[in-house]
Structures are given as C-alpha cells and as structure tokens.
Amino acid sequence: MDHHADTHRTDLMTITRFVLNEQSKYPESRGDFTILLNHIVLGCKFVCSSVNKAGLAKILGLAGETNVQGEEQKKLDVISNEVFVKALISSGRTCLLVSEENEEAITVPPPQRGKYIVVFDPLDGSSNIDCGVSIGTIFGIYMVKDPAQVTLEDALQPGKRLLAAGYCMYGSSCTFVLSTGNGVNGFTLDPCLGEFILTHPNIKVPRKGKIYSVNEGNAKNWDEPTTKYVENCKFPQDGSPPKSLRYIGSMVADIHRTLLYGGIFMYPADIKNPNGKLRVLYEVFPMSYLMEQAGGQAFTGKQRALDLVPEKIHERSPIFLGSYDEIEQMKELYAESKANGA
C-alpha cells in the first residue's frame, strides 16, 4: 500500500466540501440548502448500491404495479422512489415533493416541513435496467413562497426559477452532476471512500457538436423542422462531414454525453405524441437548466424551455437541448417553417 499517496486523498474536493465552499459565499446562509443536497447525495449513494447488486439480490424485473405514466414499474423503481421520498422528508428542509412515480404531489407534514420543493425522477431509463445500460436520478429544487401555506401551485413554477438541478448517473461509474446557478460541476463516486469527488469542474458544452441523439424509429411521425435537421445531419449541404448518431434511450446517459462532447439531444413532438413524451417538471426543466448553465441551449420547438409554465405536475413537452449553435439551427428551421405556414 502506498501510504504517501493515500495522504493526498484527504485533500480531494468532495461534494460536501464543494457545497460548503459555495455556502460560505453567502454569509446569511443557514445551511438548509446544504443539508438538503446532502440528503439527495445520500439517496443517490443508496440507489447506486442497489443498482450495483440488483442482479444478485433478485430485485430486477417487474414489481407488478403500473405507475402514473402507464409504465410497468420495476422493483428498482419502487425502491428508488421510497429511498428519495424518505431521504427528502427526513432532511426537514422540504415542503412539497413531486415524483414521476407518484400520481399526486407529496405534501410534507408540518413538523418536518422546510422551504424547498423537490421535483425528481427517482430512476430514469428504468426500461434499460435488465440489460445493464446506464440509468439515473434527475432532480430540481425550487423555493416555496410560504412554507405555512403550501399548495400544488408552488410546484408549477417555470424552470427559470429553479435554485438548483442535477442528475446522478449509475453506469460504469457513479457520476453526480450539479448546478446551483454558478456553472455545472461533475463528481464521481470513489467506492473506497464512499465520497463523490470533483472530477469534472466547470463543465462547458462545446459550441458545436458532431453527434445527434434521437429515436429515429419515430421519424415517419416527425414534423418538418425535425426531419430537415436530421436530414442535414446525415447529408450536410455545406460540405462538412455528417454527424454521428448516438442514442442510448436513457435520458441521463444521452444528456451526460451531450454535455461532455457537444451535439444535440432531441425528443420532438410527433403525430403519436403531439405534446412530446418527456415530463416538464422533472426531466425537461432540470436538464435544460444544466444545459444552459454549461453554455448550451434548450428549446421546445416554440420557446425557450425554461420559460414554460406547467399547468400539471406530470405535463409533457417536446425538447431539443445541446450545443448553442445546434439549437440555433433548430430554432431557424422552426422559424422558417412557421413563416411558411407549415
């Protein structure tokens, strides 16, 4: 054992140290936000452990119930949802929780109530569990107007009012990506220490990308702008090389790659899903927030994604997010289509 090398491991930037450093920039801070984030991180560690031993513990496969989205729940979905609900309520810093797995929002009892609202997808990409593809947890944090008078309306805020957002990806490594409004930072779980270590400081999405990510199985149902954009990716008219298609089918994994390598991720509206498929509160908003914080853009086909004002907690929306120039191109195609009356 290299004891000399191990001594340097105590000087690592852990996520706890990072968040405390951020907190110190605000003298009026009481640490509530830091405590909440610590509970989210704890939940992610627990789910990571469950994912890693799922096959051994025989907790893969269907749980026999169907969630509010009409998707058959996996056992890990159920476990992950319970983990995060309990972790968030026990933090004493939340007042309202919106989970993909629960039809109704969860109002925290007054004795344990705080001032934050958390919207989350406890296990995104769960259809990929059995085949070992990366899956993840997505979350966003809002502030409530009045902790004593919590209503459902408090959760239906536009994405631009998010205080923080992030995701944790459970794959070849466990990666936690977070923004508190001052850029995007990525942390990787060191299984020996049980700590998330800063490995991707100040992530910036490249201004242009060479990758497009979309489910081309839906191509026949796309609108004209999406069809034109993808056609141009494959057969560029300006002499540039064609873009590569990369689509995992797990939003966390696809967005993680897009953040690091650039390009565009698309889940457009189509004839079958005219309102899109991804949920606004706990998929579209957190990922759009992260993409903008990293220097990219997020667009619904009609407007900036973070300007949307949801009317229902499980509302859906089309979404295009990624490198700044790629989204600009998509915006131009939609503007052109609108001008032509398409």
Side-chain angles (χ1 to χ4, degrees):
M1 184 182 288
D2 188 346
H3 293 289
H4 179 71
D6 281 351
T7 60
H8 293 290
R9 294 165 69 80
T10 58
D11 195 35
L12 296 168
M13 179 60 78
T14 65
I15 193 165
T16 306
R17 186 180 289 181
F18 180 86
V19 172
L20 286 170
N21 284 353
E22 289 294 302
Q23 180 188 317
S24 68
K25 296 175 185 176
Y26 305 93
E28 72 283 3
S29 174
R30 295 171 50 208
D32 288 345
F33 191 69
T34 303
I35 291 168
L36 174 58
L37 279 175
N38 277 338
H39 278 252
I40 292 173
V41 168
L42 178 63
C44 290
K45 287 179 184 176
F46 190 98
V47 172
C48 179
S49 173
S50 297
V51 168
N52 287 341
K53 64 189 179 189
L56 295 171
K58 293 186 178 179
I59 53 176
L60 290 179
L62 299 175
E65 296 179 12
T66 302
N67 71 4
V68 65
Q69 312 303 333
E71 302 163 337
E72 288 188 303
Q73 285 181 292
K74 302 278 184 171
K75 289 180 183 176
L76 268 177
D77 284 18
V78 179
I79 292 167
S80 302
N81 192 49
E82 288 174 0
V83 164
F84 280 102
V85 168
K86 287 176 181 175
L88 291 167
I89 291 176
S90 67
S91 73
R93 302 301 184 274
T94 59
C95 56
L96 193 64
L97 309 178
V98 176
S99 166
E100 189 213 15
E101 302 294 343
N102 294 99
E103 189 169 353
E104 305 291 338
I106 298 168
T107 303
V108 178
Q112 295 171 290
R113 193 173 289 176
K115 59 185 177 181
Y116 296 110
I117 299 162
V118 182
V119 294
F120 61 100
D121 185 344
L123 205 61
D124 179 73
S126 55
S127 61
N128 289 315
I129 290 171
D130 289 350
C131 61
V133 170
S134 295
I135 51 182
T137 298
I138 309 171
F139 67 91
I141 303 172
Y142 291 100
M143 178 85 78
V144 72
K145 292 170 189 169
D146 180 4
Q149 299 287 330
V150 181
T151 67
L152 189 61
E153 295 299 314
D154 288 309
L156 301 176
Q157 301 185 46
K160 62 187 176 184
R161 289 195 192 152
L162 279 165
L163 298 180
Y167 60 81
C168 188
M169 184 175 69
Y170 315 112
S172 56
S173 58
C174 183
T175 308
F176 191 94
V177 175
L178 173 70
S179 176
T180 56
N182 296 304
V184 181
N185 292 277
F187 305 80
T188 303
L189 183 64
D190 182 332
C192 297
L193 294 175
E195 287 278 7
F196 280 101
I197 309 299
L198 181 64
T199 51
H200 296 79
N202 196 26
I203 296 170
K204 292 294 178 191
V205 61
R207 195 170 175 94
K208 288 186 176 182
K210 299 175 182 176
I211 297 171
Y212 72 102
S213 184
V214 66
N215 182 356
E216 285 212 60
N218 297 327
K220 72 171 187 175
N221 297 322
W222 287 344
D223 59 17
E224 184 189 9
T226 305
T227 303
K228 277 188 176 179
Y229 180 87
V230 172
E231 188 72 10
N232 193 52
C233 286
K234 296 192 276 193
F235 307 102
Q237 301 300 306
D238 59 3
S240 62
K243 287 180 166 56
S244 298
L245 169 65
R246 297 284 184 272
Y247 185 70
I248 299 165
S250 172
M251 190 187 191
V252 170
D254 280 314
I255 293 298
H256 189 67
R257 184 199 56 247
T258 305
L259 270 175
L260 297 182
Y261 301 158
I264 186 170
F265 170 85
M266 301 178 273
Y267 212 116
D270 57 36
I271 295 167
K272 207 166 59 172
N273 300 292
N275 296 318
K277 190 111 182 266
L278 297 180
R279 275 65 61 132
V280 172
L281 275 182
Y282 40 79
E283 290 175 327
V284 170
F285 278 170
M287 294 308 201
S288 298
Y289 183 85
L290 289 167
M291 198 59 72
E292 284 198 7
Q293 285 291 321
Q297 293 194 79
F299 178 60
T300 66
K302 294 180 180 176
Q303 65 184 116
R304 176 191 177 213
L306 293 180
D307 287 337
L308 266 176
V309 181
E311 295 178 3
K312 297 178 292 184
I313 60 172
H314 297 297
E315 191 170 313
R316 300 173 190 257
S317 171
I319 189 64
F320 305 87
L321 27 77
S323 297
Y324 192 94
D325 288 356
E326 303 302 332
I327 304 300
E328 279 298 300
Q329 192 179 333
M330 185 59 79
K331 285 181 177 177
E332 288 167 12
L333 288 169
Y334 269 97
E336 185 184 302
S337 176
K338 189 177 179 182
N340 294 336

